[in-house]
Structure formats: C-alpha cells, structure tokens
Amino acid sequence: MGDERRREAAAITFVVAASGLSIVGVGAAFWALVAGGLYLAVLEAGLLRTTSPPTR
C-alpha cells in the first residue's frame, strides 16, 4: 500500500472480501476484485476526486 492514490482501492477490495458477500453464487473474492478494480478505474479516469494533499 505504498502508492497513496491506490490505498482506497486496496481498502475497498479488502472490506468487500472480508464481508463474505455472495451474489448469485459467486463468492466475495471475485466481487472484491470487481469493486476494487472499478473504483481504481474510476479514480484513474479522473471521474472521482480524492482528498489527498497536493504534491510538491
């Protein structure tokens, strides 16, 4: 979790995996990767702004 921009995606992936979510028989590990990947894709596309401090 060294890259500050990706910490939130990693945290979302972890929380979904730990939740034990199961939809239509597909387990939490799959949905965790989907949730983390979607969040990261939205973040990288610039559609979502984070509250990270400006870089110098």
Side-chain angles (χ1 to χ4, degrees):
M1 294 181 81
D3 188 0
E4 291 183 20
R5 293 180 39 155
R6 296 183 177 169
R7 286 183 185 172
E8 291 174 346
I12 289 170
T13 302
F14 175 76
V15 169
V16 173
S19 73
L21 177 71
S22 178
I23 300 174
V24 295
V26 179
F30 173 79
W31 295 116
L33 291 174
V34 169
L38 282 175
Y39 182 83
L40 187 59
V42 168
L43 186 65
E44 293 291 326
L47 301 174
L48 183 67
R49 296 178 189 219
T50 61
T51 57
S52 56
T55 59
R56 292 185 183 185

